[in-house]
Amino acid sequence: MLVAVVAAGLAGCATVYNLPGNAPLGTALADNNIARDLPTYQDDLLLALSFSGGGTRAAAFSFGVLQELDRSRSGSAEAKSLLDRVDFVSGVSGGSVTAAYFGLKRRAALDDFRERFLLRNAEEGLKTQISLGNIGRALGGGVNDSQFTDWLDRNLFDGARFEALPDERRPRVWINASDIYNRTPFVFGKTAFDALCSDIRSYRVAEAVAASAAVPLAFAPIVLETYPGGCAATLPSWLEGVRHDPNAQPLLRAYAEAQTRYHDGSMRYVKLLDGGLVDNFGLSGLSIGLLAAQRPYEPLTERQAAKLRRILFLVVDAGRGVSGDFVQTVEGPNGVELVAAAADTAIDASVRSSYAAFTALANDWSGKLKRWRCGLSAAERSRLGVGANWKCGDVGIYIERVGFDRLGPERAGLLNAIPTRFSLPAEQVDQLIAGGADALRASKAYQSFRHGL
């Protein structure tokens, strides 16, 4: 009883929250003319990356993957590297830092990301100590509010807004957070901000990344305001059908319900926390795109779908493995270990099921795509610009997870022992970077994809 009284007292004297950082879209604009949810490039390759959560260790491991992609040429020695052909990159928590910086600077990110972020102490402005004051702040909404957002904005993203991520260039960037009221993924992009009637062009990239990395209790939720009736943007037509379809996929239906609540005014504010709470691989956006497809080639355009020859979905996984020694004694785990173990259990169960579901969904979509291509008439093929040597069934799809386990038990154990914080020594950062590159090189699916180009 005494503990409950003290906790209630601490929570009552320290309310922590973030103010909304998004602006209304305005009635003069039909929609956000950037941040479309899927790229529209029209070459024969679709290369998608997804970076998991895991603090700086995830950011460094995924950075190593980018370096290795830059060593791979897609054709002759004079051809562009695979890094230049990445169509979109999805990021969660620590992985979202790398994804956003790569999206903003593209190959120039290879020059300074290690020094500007990976070797820096991104926790320097955060309250991280266990104290009565911080316990009170945690119970009052979160220990930290906008400190991480401001640090990222000042030290890494240089005040960049989403308008710096235009549609006409690679890669399209998805930053993933968790809508803790609707219990669904929140992807910073056109669909969500149209539903909010909010202007994503003026929204800070740093704030989206901070939302993606906002661990519960350590951070207060990032807040977005809804502006119902404040713009001419409408919801996609398929959303209403999904909401009333009892056979709709649960993920798709929950997503449709959330978008509707943003748009109709039943929610005044959206509260966002760490994207890993609902999807630590960042695959939900892709899954929703495939599930919502109304035609066999969607979510691609017809021309994209006709020209495609190779597709690679690469999940870069720096998630936590099993840890702790409480299984060696009859007592334990203690309170801190219990919270960590419960969170890891929930996240691991979620990512295993989401990866399996996405793999099945992507393979099913690949089959539909091939059947559609093989059913095209000569006139349709001509309209879509495919050549005489085009083969309708020549579409290879590769879905691969690259994690520490690609490196053997000893090295995997070494990397897994590195904490999921936002401050690591240089030696561990470089071990992770090298590990990401080596893990990608060791992937048989990746090598098969390269050989098929």
Side-chain angles (χ1 to χ4, degrees):
M1 177 63 72
L2 179 60
V3 173
V5 171
V6 172
L10 289 170
C13 65
T15 301
V16 182
Y17 59 92
N18 287 301
L19 293 173
N22 62 311
L25 181 58
T27 55
L29 297 173
D31 62 6
N32 290 298
N33 195 28
I34 67 163
R36 300 186 186 280
D37 294 323
L38 282 167
T40 57
Y41 318 118
Q42 295 180 1
D43 59 11
D44 65 350
L45 179 68
L46 179 62
L47 177 52
L49 308 177
S50 184
F51 298 154
S52 81
T56 294
R57 88 173 192 175
F61 192 68
S62 56
F63 184 64
V65 168
L66 293 181
Q67 287 186 332
E68 181 60 25
L69 286 171
D70 194 42
R71 298 184 188 106
S72 300
R73 299 284 154 179
S74 54
S76 65
E78 294 77 24
K80 291 183 178 181
S81 77
L82 285 180
L83 184 75
D84 298 309
R85 301 190 71 182
V86 174
D87 291 296
F88 66 88
V89 54
S90 178
V92 177
S93 194
S96 72
V97 183
T98 311
Y101 197 68
F102 172 51
L104 286 167
K105 300 196 70 174
R106 295 180 286 176
R107 70 167 35 260
L110 298 183
D111 298 333
D112 61 2
F113 184 65
R114 177 179 177 273
E115 288 69 30
R116 292 197 69 182
F117 181 76
L118 298 177
L119 298 184
R120 296 287 302 277
N121 177 14
E123 297 179 6
E124 61 187 1
L126 302 179
K127 298 177 176 66
T128 59
Q129 301 299 315
I130 297 178
S131 66
L132 285 178
N134 282 345
I135 292 173
R137 290 173 65 86
L139 295 173
V143 176
N144 298 280
D145 42 41
S146 64
Q147 294 99 317
F148 191 48
T149 301
D150 296 338
W151 189 95
L152 289 169
D153 206 34
R154 185 173 60 252
N155 293 288
L156 186 63
F157 296 122
D158 302 318
R161 312 280 170 152
F162 271 83
E163 64 186 0
L165 296 168
D167 278 335
E168 64 269 15
R169 72 173 200 185
R170 290 179 167 102
R172 164 61 45 227
V173 179
W174 288 358
I175 305 301
N176 301 270
S178 298
D179 174 346
I180 57 173
Y181 179 80
N182 290 298
R183 306 168 197 171
T184 60
F186 184 95
V187 182
F188 285 87
K190 173 181 169 56
T191 298
F193 271 69
D194 275 359
L196 294 168
C197 271
S198 181
D199 180 15
I200 194 170
R201 293 164 298 186
S202 63
Y203 194 71
R204 288 191 294 170
V205 173
E207 195 156 3
V209 172
S212 182
V215 177
L217 298 183
F219 296 93
I222 296 294
V223 180
L224 297 172
E225 186 170 355
T226 65
Y227 299 99
C231 69
T234 58
L235 295 177
S237 57
W238 57 265
L239 281 175
E240 190 65 22
V242 167
R243 289 181 60 225
H244 299 291
D245 180 3
N247 298 316
Q249 290 277 357
L251 171 65
L252 194 60
R253 190 171 185 180
Y255 175 81
E257 291 285 1
Q259 302 303 305
T260 302
R261 292 185 184 114
Y262 302 161
H263 200 255
D264 68 10
S266 58
M267 291 178 63
R268 186 175 179 185
Y269 299 105
V270 181
K271 307 293 179 73
L272 304 175
L273 283 174
D274 193 316
L277 295 174
V278 295
D279 177 19
N280 204 44
F281 280 176
L283 291 172
S284 293
L286 275 172
S287 298
I288 289 167
L290 295 178
L291 288 168
Q294 304 294 297
R295 299 176 180 87
Y297 56 81
E298 290 180 345
L300 306 178
T301 66
E302 282 186 283
R303 193 169 291 271
Q304 272 182 298
K307 289 189 174 183
L308 268 181
R309 292 188 62 246
R310 294 293 179 267
I311 305 168
L312 174 63
F313 295 115
L314 186 66
V315 177
V316 182
D317 177 16
R320 288 162 53 95
V322 294
S323 60
D325 59 1
F326 56 82
V327 294
Q328 306 301 332
T329 61
V330 69
E331 62 274 359
N334 61 37
V336 174
E337 291 173 329
L338 186 62
V339 171
D344 289 343
T345 299
I347 289 173
D348 280 1
S350 172
V351 297
R352 288 167 187 159
S353 61
S354 69
Y355 182 72
F358 175 75
T359 299
L361 185 63
N363 284 322
D364 180 63
W365 171 75
S366 176
K368 292 177 182 177
L369 177 63
K370 290 177 184 178
R371 289 192 292 273
W372 170 78
R373 285 162 52 112
C374 291
L376 292 173
S377 67
E380 288 171 324
R381 293 196 299 271
S382 176
R383 175 175 60 85
L384 296 173
V386 297
N389 296 324
W390 176 78
K391 298 178 181 178
C392 64
D394 185 17
V395 182
I397 182 168
Y398 303 84
I399 305 166
E400 180 74 327
R401 184 191 65 83
V402 174
F404 297 163
D405 53 328
R406 298 284 181 189
L407 303 170
E410 182 177 350
R411 195 172 175 193
L414 180 70
L415 296 184
N416 191 57
I418 297 174
T420 55
R421 299 189 58 165
F422 279 109
S423 175
L424 295 176
E427 179 184 5
Q428 291 182 339
V429 166
D430 289 336
Q431 288 173 345
L432 288 158
I433 294 173
D438 292 345
L440 181 58
R441 259 196 314 274
S443 164
K444 292 182 179 179
Y446 173 64
Q447 296 303 336
S448 296
F449 166 77
R450 286 186 59 204
H451 294 155
L453 293 177

